[in-house]
Amino acid sequence: MTSETPVLNCAGRPLDCSSPQVMGILNITPDSFSDGGQLFGPGGAQLDAVLKRAEAMVAAGASLLDVGGESTRPGAATVTTAEEVDRVLPVVEALVARFPVVVSVDTSTPEVITGAAAAGAGLINDVRALLRPGALEAVAASELPVCLMHMQGNPETMQAEPAYQDVVSEVVAWLAERVTVCEATGIPRSRILLDPGFGFGKTLEHNLALLQNLDRLAALGLPVLVGLSRKSMIGKLLGREVDRRLPASLALAVLAVERGARIVRVHDVAETVDALAMVQALQGAG
Ligand code: 7PM
């Protein structure tokens, strides 16, 4: 399914969604489940470590880097707005200055959205789909593209008892409604990406149905972004810990792109770039 706007303008940096793009995850939270902790020392954020990881991701072919300072992990400590601003904005500024890629900011906080835009960020990635008061207006004023992600419930409670009549139809309809709200607030469709939110208020069966039918989300005509890397659905299917989920993550990335995903958000950029090159090679073959 082709998206209406194949090239997004991310603060002057073009993002071509006509072929699959890889977004590298740069966690700067002290408690994120798979690689946090390593980036934080006793003195706080270790900018050098973040920049080294970013450099490797860019060299491996990432066209976006996603920076997040508020963990969405269930039960994670709540971060104050001031803490999130202090954590995220210096990293955004440093990344924008050093690397010619789109710097994405994983945030739901209006002050962070506005600050990130001023610091040169090219995309807002909001797991709450701009539901926080002031977030819609902050994105509208920023003129940045935004990724709207579906979540049932909130990070504290979402995995308690996820329930749907028809998960695929409900997620697609919910995101379509958020697009309508965005358009009414001055965010045109040409600036919107959509994400079904794997693992966010979904059972294993819900996640599998969403992936199998991802083409129905792509049919809305907007670029689809997916986050499947190292997620617990792999743990549930294979019984593997997070550091043993790479082969399955690569398979899921390929399956998602085959079903219309245009951006894959991953921890392992080099491996994912290679896997997606195989999809691209086949798409050009008779
Ligand atoms: C704990 C639980 C730590 C969950 C990290 C996570 C997505 C995202 C995340 C996604 C978009 C993770 C998640 N997931 N943004 N942010 N889509 N757009 O596994 O699936 O990385 S955080």
Side-chain angles (χ1 to χ4, degrees):
M1 187 60 52
T2 38
S3 77
E4 293 160 20
T5 314
V7 183
L8 296 175
N9 176 8
C10 299
R13 301 184 186 195
L15 181 68
D16 186 357
C17 293
S18 59
S19 60
Q21 303 296 327
V22 176
M23 168 188 271
I25 301 171
L26 275 181
N27 279 318
I28 54 166
T29 53
D31 61 349
S32 80
F33 81 114
S34 55
D35 56 7
Q38 293 165 25
L39 299 180
F40 266 66
Q46 293 178 354
L47 186 60
D48 281 356
V50 175
L51 293 176
K52 276 213 178 76
R53 295 196 43 176
E55 186 171 28
M57 286 178 168
V58 172
S63 43
L64 308 101
L65 297 171
D66 191 42
V67 182
E70 186 222 9
S71 179
T72 42
R73 180 182 201 160
T78 344
V79 176
T80 67
T81 297
E83 277 167 346
E84 198 190 344
V85 164
D86 289 348
R87 226 180 243 182
V88 172
L89 298 192
V91 177
V92 170
E93 221 164 88
L95 293 170
V96 168
R98 283 170 182 76
F99 306 110
V101 299
V102 174
V103 177
S104 158
V105 179
D106 195 336
T107 188
S108 304
T109 313
E111 292 85 347
V112 177
I113 293 169
T114 304
L123 178 74
I124 301 301
N125 172 28
D126 185 7
V127 299
R128 295 178 185 80
L130 307 182
L131 281 166
R132 283 231 177 117
L136 276 164
E137 293 77 10
V139 166
S142 76
E143 299 189 13
L144 293 179
V146 61
C147 178
L148 305 173
M149 196 196 80
H150 175 273
M151 167 162 47
Q152 184 177 84
N154 57 58
E156 292 70 45
T157 60
M158 64 187 181
Q159 289 306 106
E161 227 168 308
Y164 303 83
Q165 297 283 329
D166 174 344
V167 66
V168 179
S169 300
E170 288 172 43
V171 167
V172 171
W174 189 90
L175 287 170
E177 171 61 21
R178 294 306 297 158
V179 172
T180 302
V181 171
C182 282
E183 288 186 280
T185 321
I187 305 168
R189 291 171 70 81
S190 58
R191 283 169 46 199
I192 302 174
L193 302 93
L194 301 175
D195 183 334
F198 290 104
F200 286 84
K202 281 119 189 157
T203 64
L204 172 60
E205 289 69 30
H206 296 143
N207 290 319
L208 293 173
L210 284 166
L211 180 54
Q212 175 67 338
N213 297 285
L214 198 67
D215 55 329
R216 287 176 54 193
L217 181 58
L220 290 179
L222 303 181
V224 170
L225 185 155
V226 295
L228 291 155
S229 182
R230 303 184 187 175
K231 283 204 171 165
S232 68
M233 61 185 285
I234 299 170
K236 288 190 184 112
L237 285 164
L238 299 179
R240 299 228 197 285
E241 293 306 316
V242 288
D243 60 342
R244 306 291 305 278
R245 295 178 187 171
L246 174 59
S249 297
L250 296 176
L252 293 176
V254 167
L255 293 163
V257 166
E258 287 220 303
R259 287 160 176 74
R262 291 311 168 88
I263 301 178
V264 292
R265 180 181 177 276
V266 303
H267 301 87
D268 304 285
V269 171
E271 293 86 348
T272 307
V273 167
D274 277 4
L276 296 186
M278 299 303 102
V279 179
Q280 285 293 94
L282 275 207
Q283 281 176 359

mmCIF file of all heavy atoms in Angstrom, residues 232-251:
data_model
loop_
_atom_site.group_PDB
_atom_site.id
_atom_site.type_symbol
_atom_site.label_atom_id
_atom_site.label_comp_id
_atom_site.label_asym_id
_atom_site.label_seq_id
_atom_site.Cartn_x
_atom_site.Cartn_y
_atom_site.Cartn_z
ATOM 1 N N SER A 232 7.888 -8.513 24.278
ATOM 2 C CA SER A 232 7.521 -9.678 25.090
ATOM 3 C C SER A 232 6.723 -10.703 24.298
ATOM 4 O O SER A 232 6.665 -11.874 24.694
ATOM 5 C CB SER A 232 6.746 -9.241 26.324
ATOM 6 O OG SER A 232 5.487 -8.740 25.942
ATOM 7 N N MET A 233 6.141 -10.313 23.157
ATOM 8 C CA MET A 233 5.459 -11.338 22.357
ATOM 9 C C MET A 233 6.449 -12.418 21.914
ATOM 10 O O MET A 233 6.098 -13.592 21.819
ATOM 11 C CB MET A 233 4.707 -10.735 21.155
ATOM 12 C CG MET A 233 5.548 -10.003 20.142
ATOM 13 S SD MET A 233 4.563 -9.209 18.832
ATOM 14 C CE MET A 233 4.088 -10.597 17.815
ATOM 15 N N ILE A 234 7.689 -12.017 21.679
ATOM 16 C CA ILE A 234 8.729 -12.990 21.327
ATOM 17 C C ILE A 234 9.049 -13.862 22.536
ATOM 18 O O ILE A 234 9.158 -15.086 22.426
ATOM 19 C CB ILE A 234 10.001 -12.260 20.831
ATOM 20 C CG1 ILE A 234 9.703 -11.423 19.588
ATOM 21 C CG2 ILE A 234 11.120 -13.271 20.576
ATOM 22 C CD1 ILE A 234 10.837 -10.487 19.182
ATOM 23 N N GLY A 235 9.151 -13.206 23.693
ATOM 24 C CA GLY A 235 9.399 -13.950 24.921
ATOM 25 C C GLY A 235 8.312 -14.976 25.175
ATOM 26 O O GLY A 235 8.586 -16.111 25.588
ATOM 27 N N LYS A 236 7.062 -14.581 24.916
ATOM 28 C CA LYS A 236 5.946 -15.500 25.166
ATOM 29 C C LYS A 236 5.970 -16.683 24.195
ATOM 30 O O LYS A 236 5.657 -17.808 24.566
ATOM 31 C CB LYS A 236 4.617 -14.748 25.053
ATOM 32 C CG LYS A 236 4.389 -13.808 26.231
ATOM 33 C CD LYS A 236 2.982 -13.236 26.278
ATOM 34 C CE LYS A 236 2.872 -12.242 27.433
ATOM 35 N NZ LYS A 236 2.688 -10.865 26.970
ATOM 36 N N LEU A 237 6.336 -16.421 22.939
ATOM 37 C CA LEU A 237 6.335 -17.497 21.943
ATOM 38 C C LEU A 237 7.542 -18.425 22.094
ATOM 39 O O LEU A 237 7.435 -19.622 21.844
ATOM 40 C CB LEU A 237 6.326 -16.906 20.529
ATOM 41 C CG LEU A 237 4.982 -16.325 20.063
ATOM 42 C CD1 LEU A 237 5.162 -15.437 18.839
ATOM 43 C CD2 LEU A 237 4.001 -17.458 19.755
ATOM 44 N N LEU A 238 8.686 -17.861 22.480
ATOM 45 C CA LEU A 238 9.927 -18.643 22.469
ATOM 46 C C LEU A 238 10.499 -18.918 23.855
ATOM 47 O O LEU A 238 11.418 -19.732 23.983
ATOM 48 C CB LEU A 238 11.000 -17.906 21.647
ATOM 49 C CG LEU A 238 10.704 -17.647 20.172
ATOM 50 C CD1 LEU A 238 11.866 -16.900 19.537
ATOM 51 C CD2 LEU A 238 10.451 -18.964 19.440
ATOM 52 N N GLY A 239 10.019 -18.198 24.852
ATOM 53 C CA GLY A 239 10.608 -18.339 26.181
ATOM 54 C C GLY A 239 12.032 -17.819 26.252
ATOM 55 O O GLY A 239 12.857 -18.346 26.985
ATOM 56 N N ARG A 240 12.338 -16.781 25.467
ATOM 57 C CA ARG A 240 13.700 -16.232 25.491
ATOM 58 C C ARG A 240 13.746 -14.905 26.251
ATOM 59 O O ARG A 240 12.841 -14.100 26.149
ATOM 60 C CB ARG A 240 14.178 -15.944 24.076
ATOM 61 C CG ARG A 240 14.235 -17.146 23.181
ATOM 62 C CD ARG A 240 15.562 -17.209 22.446
ATOM 63 N NE ARG A 240 15.471 -18.117 21.313
ATOM 64 C CZ ARG A 240 15.454 -19.439 21.430
ATOM 65 N NH1 ARG A 240 15.511 -20.006 22.615
ATOM 66 N NH2 ARG A 240 15.375 -20.187 20.343
ATOM 67 N N GLU A 241 14.858 -14.692 26.937
ATOM 68 C CA GLU A 241 15.094 -13.403 27.588
ATOM 69 C C GLU A 241 15.378 -12.335 26.532
ATOM 70 O O GLU A 241 15.685 -12.666 25.385
ATOM 71 C CB GLU A 241 16.271 -13.519 28.567
ATOM 72 C CG GLU A 241 15.992 -14.421 29.754
ATOM 73 C CD GLU A 241 14.733 -14.037 30.526
ATOM 74 O OE1 GLU A 241 14.527 -12.828 30.772
ATOM 75 O OE2 GLU A 241 13.941 -14.940 30.860
ATOM 76 N N VAL A 242 15.298 -11.057 26.930
ATOM 77 C CA VAL A 242 15.399 -9.965 25.949
ATOM 78 C C VAL A 242 16.688 -9.993 25.137
ATOM 79 O O VAL A 242 16.685 -9.616 23.967
ATOM 80 C CB VAL A 242 15.255 -8.558 26.590
ATOM 81 C CG1 VAL A 242 13.834 -8.316 27.015
ATOM 82 C CG2 VAL A 242 16.205 -8.354 27.733
ATOM 83 N N ASP A 243 17.779 -10.467 25.720
ATOM 84 C CA ASP A 243 19.049 -10.456 24.982
ATOM 85 C C ASP A 243 19.180 -11.633 24.015
ATOM 86 O O ASP A 243 20.204 -11.782 23.350
ATOM 87 C CB ASP A 243 20.234 -10.416 25.968
ATOM 88 C CG ASP A 243 20.255 -11.618 26.895
ATOM 89 O OD1 ASP A 243 19.218 -12.295 27.023
ATOM 90 O OD2 ASP A 243 21.319 -11.887 27.489
ATOM 91 N N ARG A 244 18.134 -12.472 23.897
ATOM 92 C CA ARG A 244 18.165 -13.600 22.961
ATOM 93 C C ARG A 244 17.029 -13.509 21.941
ATOM 94 O O ARG A 244 16.594 -14.524 21.416
ATOM 95 C CB ARG A 244 18.057 -14.923 23.738
ATOM 96 C CG ARG A 244 19.102 -15.098 24.840
ATOM 97 C CD ARG A 244 20.501 -15.288 24.274
ATOM 98 N NE ARG A 244 20.545 -16.409 23.338
ATOM 99 C CZ ARG A 244 20.667 -17.683 23.701
ATOM 100 N NH1 ARG A 244 20.766 -18.011 24.966
ATOM 101 N NH2 ARG A 244 20.688 -18.634 22.787
ATOM 102 N N ARG A 245 16.568 -12.306 21.693
ATOM 103 C CA ARG A 245 15.389 -12.160 20.835
ATOM 104 C C ARG A 245 15.703 -11.575 19.454
ATOM 105 O O ARG A 245 14.794 -11.189 18.726
ATOM 106 C CB ARG A 245 14.327 -11.293 21.537
ATOM 107 C CG ARG A 245 13.776 -11.936 22.799
ATOM 108 C CD ARG A 245 12.757 -11.062 23.511
ATOM 109 N NE ARG A 245 12.388 -11.663 24.799
ATOM 110 C CZ ARG A 245 11.663 -11.076 25.742
ATOM 111 N NH1 ARG A 245 11.202 -9.828 25.528
ATOM 112 N NH2 ARG A 245 11.389 -11.681 26.863
ATOM 113 N N LEU A 246 16.992 -11.483 19.096
ATOM 114 C CA LEU A 246 17.341 -10.856 17.819
ATOM 115 C C LEU A 246 16.821 -11.608 16.597
ATOM 116 O O LEU A 246 16.190 -10.995 15.726
ATOM 117 C CB LEU A 246 18.859 -10.617 17.727
ATOM 118 C CG LEU A 246 19.367 -10.109 16.379
ATOM 119 C CD1 LEU A 246 18.702 -8.785 15.994
ATOM 120 C CD2 LEU A 246 20.880 -9.943 16.409
ATOM 121 N N PRO A 247 17.041 -12.930 16.475
ATOM 122 C CA PRO A 247 16.548 -13.592 15.257
ATOM 123 C C PRO A 247 15.046 -13.424 15.070
ATOM 124 O O PRO A 247 14.578 -13.135 13.952
ATOM 125 C CB PRO A 247 16.939 -15.062 15.478
ATOM 126 C CG PRO A 247 18.130 -14.994 16.395
ATOM 127 C CD PRO A 247 17.824 -13.853 17.325
ATOM 128 N N ALA A 248 14.305 -13.574 16.144
ATOM 129 C CA ALA A 248 12.847 -13.413 16.037
ATOM 130 C C ALA A 248 12.484 -11.962 15.717
ATOM 131 O O ALA A 248 11.547 -11.702 14.945
ATOM 132 C CB ALA A 248 12.179 -13.870 17.330
ATOM 133 N N SER A 249 13.221 -11.005 16.263
ATOM 134 C CA SER A 249 12.958 -9.588 15.960
ATOM 135 C C SER A 249 13.159 -9.308 14.474
ATOM 136 O O SER A 249 12.394 -8.550 13.861
ATOM 137 C CB SER A 249 13.890 -8.681 16.776
ATOM 138 O OG SER A 249 13.642 -8.824 18.161
ATOM 139 N N LEU A 250 14.196 -9.918 13.894
ATOM 140 C CA LEU A 250 14.458 -9.724 12.461
ATOM 141 C C LEU A 250 13.328 -10.314 11.629
ATOM 142 O O LEU A 250 12.875 -9.705 10.649
ATOM 143 C CB LEU A 250 15.793 -10.358 12.072
ATOM 144 C CG LEU A 250 17.024 -9.742 12.734
ATOM 145 C CD1 LEU A 250 18.284 -10.519 12.353
ATOM 146 C CD2 LEU A 250 17.171 -8.277 12.356
ATOM 147 N N ALA A 251 12.867 -11.487 12.022
ATOM 148 C CA ALA A 251 11.747 -12.112 11.298
ATOM 149 C C ALA A 251 10.522 -11.198 11.363
ATOM 150 O O ALA A 251 9.854 -10.957 10.350
ATOM 151 C CB ALA A 251 11.430 -13.490 11.881
#
